[in-house]
Amino acid sequence: GGSGSAATIKQVKLERESELRIEASNDAPLRLRLLNGTAEIFGTELPPEIWLSFPPRLKFAVFTWYGATIEMDGATETDYTADETPMVSYVNVHAVLDGRRSRAKASSPDDSESSKGPRVIVVGPTDSGKSTLSRMLLSWAAKQGWKPTFVDLDIGQGSITIPGCIAATPIEMPIDPVEGIPLEMPLVYFYGHTTPSNNVELYKVLVKELAGMIERQFTGNAESRASGMVINTMGWIEGVGYDLLLHSIRTFKANVVLVLGQEKLCSMLKDVLKSEPKVDVVKLQRSGGVVSRNAKVRQKARSYRIREYFYGLSNDLSPHSNIANFSDLFVYRVGGGPQAPRSALPIGAEPAADPTRVVPVNINRDLLHLVLAVSFAKEPDEIISSNVAGFIYVTDIDIQRKKITYLAPSAGELPSNRTGQPILLHKTVTRG
Ligand code: ADP
């Protein structure tokens, strides 16, 4: 407080079923509070009268079912009111899912099929509002006491952890409109690129690992099983992207497919999934509030996301700088790597790199300014099937003294293998 002058404060009165769409300014946070009525941000209710501070560049909407007055303090890139939204259709989907969760909860836990809650997968092109719809469905479910599992398969713009990963986490409370998904102990698998075409096979293998792990957790947890999943996907829906969507739908045994604003995709999915009778494919309207982001904006968002991992949303965390000997760490890369020599191949065959091959990497200056994942694997052959504990950022490589300096979000030992050395996975979300 204290910095906002009275001149920047404004009040906005929202009629029922309308929303205030806001893009916070590029260089200053925006303060906002609910003066009267009720309102929510992407499914999470605003507390009355308490000022909330939104970081620069955040794009969001304050929606009201019955009417509200909002007070804003600070500059915005844009803010406008819209009374046409698809919110009624979204909340209707929620109501159907809620009914299915109740039925799952009421049935005998020994019946593994009927005690299974809805598994919703949200698909559509980039910037169709997939993450936002996922978030609303999760927050509405959590508000009613369910603990749905959020699965984010979007390696480019995921909301659970840094880019280059697929991840899952239980949602036990409506998602905080400022902080986003809680970062405590998500289940994370490291893919290492921000587009799946770099290694399609590895992407599929990791999706399978993640699905298998959640399935095992559900076996011992009737509450989570009945609450089900909400799965967010990538915006790549053509060609290989489409195949990957189908692969994800089947691997997670999704039974509700929500298609955002794409007739063609919807009818294609309806067609191929009609032989799988328990899958409902539902087309939903895209919200006019969804903001399109070009490649540059997306790249920037990825860098911010990595920064946020180490430094916190508002620069409120201080990462720990640590020094290790080269010999204290093992670094591996997945895929690519040395190829089979031509002489070992059938005549005419091209040497191809094994997409899931684990290759040791020498520690040298090539690792400088890279983000490395810290694997829970105890042996190299467990790397593909192991989730990761977190990430480090390499800030210095001293070849002479054979020492590596890195940032980690917290102090303490990295998880280590059987001989005591941590296994790190190499690649490459960003440089510098
Ligand atoms: P996708 O996951 O399909 O790429 P997102 O859900 O991430 O799309 O939406 C893109 C951007 O638009 C996000 O920054 C999101 O916060 C914003 N957004 C979504 N819906 C609205 C809305 N109704 N009003 C304002 N901004 C919105």
Side-chain angles (χ1 to χ4, degrees):
S3 57
S5 73
T8 65
I9 293 194
K10 82 170 181 186
Q11 286 185 8
V12 182
K13 194 168 176 327
L14 290 173
E15 300 300 329
R16 57 182 299 140
E17 288 176 25
S18 68
E19 69 185 19
L20 172 61
R21 294 174 179 164
I22 297 173
E23 225 179 299
S25 96
N26 286 328
D27 35 47
L30 173 74
R31 296 200 317 147
L32 179 150
R33 66 173 172 165
L34 173 67
L35 269 190
N36 59 56
T38 54
E40 56 185 52
I41 295 178
F42 299 152
T44 302
E45 271 191 85
L46 293 184
E49 291 183 45
I50 295 172
W51 283 106
L52 303 174
S53 180
F54 295 86
R57 292 175 303 274
L58 198 71
K59 302 164 185 61
F60 62 101
V62 184
F63 177 85
T64 180
W65 293 104
Y66 304 108
T69 307
I70 307 297
E71 195 166 52
M72 283 196 291
D73 175 11
T76 62
E77 288 299 305
T78 50
D79 60 273
Y80 67 97
T81 303
D83 54 12
E84 265 180 50
T85 76
M87 292 294 278
V88 171
S89 61
Y90 293 178
V91 86
N92 284 341
V93 169
H94 162 71
V96 172
L97 300 176
D98 210 45
R100 292 196 186 179
R101 291 185 182 108
S102 298
R103 278 200 296 285
K105 192 180 175 187
S107 64
S108 158
D110 302 330
D111 184 340
S112 63
E113 263 320 297
S114 65
S115 66
K116 213 169 88 177
R119 299 186 173 186
V120 187
I121 187 163
V122 184
V123 306
T126 31
D127 299 329
S128 57
K130 295 181 298 298
S131 320
T132 305
L133 176 60
S134 302
R135 191 160 158 166
M136 287 189 247
L137 295 174
L138 290 161
S139 288
W140 286 330
K143 187 181 167 190
Q144 266 155 310
W146 301 108
K147 292 189 174 142
T149 299
F150 178 36
V151 179
D152 204 333
L153 302 180
D154 188 350
I155 47 180
Q157 307 282 323
S159 15
I160 298 180
T161 185
I162 70 166
C165 300
I166 60 171
T169 190
I171 301 296
E172 308 193 340
M173 299 221 292
I175 296 162
D176 188 291
V178 178
E179 300 286 329
I181 310 281
L183 279 176
E184 302 121 38
M185 298 303 286
L187 188 55
V188 179
Y189 288 82
F190 187 63
Y191 173 71
H193 315 270
T194 50
T195 145
S197 56
N198 283 4
N199 191 338
V200 172
E201 215 38 57
L202 177 62
Y203 183 83
K204 285 187 177 174
V205 167
L206 296 180
V207 165
K208 223 169 136 196
E209 289 293 339
L210 178 61
M213 182 62 102
I214 295 172
E215 207 74 70
R216 283 193 291 283
Q217 291 180 347
F218 277 8
T219 310
N221 189 334
E223 193 186 8
S224 295
R225 192 165 71 240
S227 298
M229 307 178 196
V230 176
I231 306 163
N232 181 39
T233 59
M234 301 175 281
W236 189 23
I237 56 171
E238 314 260 324
V240 180
Y242 175 76
D243 296 340
L244 287 177
L245 274 185
L246 272 182
H247 174 263
S248 298
I249 291 169
R250 290 176 171 142
T251 307
F252 279 94
K253 302 194 173 68
N255 46 25
V256 180
V257 182
L258 302 178
V259 188
L260 274 171
Q262 248 262 356
E263 301 280 355
K264 184 177 152 208
L265 178 63
C266 186
S267 78
M268 280 167 79
L269 287 173
K270 271 195 173 142
D271 214 45
V272 302
L273 295 171
K274 67 172 179 263
S275 52
E276 289 158 56
K278 278 173 284 180
V279 186
D280 295 315
V281 181
V282 181
K283 189 180 154 256
L284 288 171
Q285 210 194 321
R286 172 188 187 282
S287 166
V290 177
V291 183
S292 298
R293 297 158 295 181
N294 61 29
K296 206 172 141 205
V297 171
R298 263 195 273 274
Q299 172 54 44
K300 263 208 162 139
R302 286 197 279 271
S303 312
Y304 287 128
R305 201 75 193 134
I306 295 168
R307 231 199 114 68
E308 183 191 335
Y309 176 81
F310 291 101
Y311 291 93
L313 191 62
S314 36
N315 248 334
D316 49 341
L317 304 178
S318 5
H320 292 258
S321 186
N322 304 276
I323 299 179
N325 299 311
F326 285 4
S327 59
D328 292 341
L329 308 167
F330 286 124
V331 184
Y332 292 90
R333 176 162 52 78
V334 180
Q339 301 176 339
R342 259 171 213 280
S343 58
L345 292 169
I347 292 166
E350 281 299 308
D354 175 356
T356 57
R357 176 182 171 146
V358 171
V359 186
V361 172
N362 286 328
I363 301 182
N364 58 38
R365 290 198 54 92
D366 291 347
L367 296 186
L368 190 60
H369 301 315
L370 288 186
V371 173
L372 305 178
V374 184
S375 178
F376 279 121
K378 299 268 179 223
E379 300 290 343
D381 63 2
E382 294 173 0
I383 285 176
I384 298 281
S385 60
S386 297
N387 54 315
V388 301
F391 307 91
I392 63 169
Y393 179 75
V394 180
T395 53
D396 190 44
I397 303 270
D398 185 335
I399 299 286
Q400 232 112 66
R401 292 166 55 234
K402 294 192 184 325
K403 298 228 182 252
I404 175 168
T405 310
Y406 62 88
L407 292 180
S410 59
E413 299 275 299
L414 301 171
S416 56
N417 76 355
R418 297 207 170 88
T419 54
Q421 283 122 319
I423 287 186
L424 304 177
L425 302 181
H426 170 253
K427 200 37 207 174
T428 76
V429 188
T430 190
R431 212 166 244 281

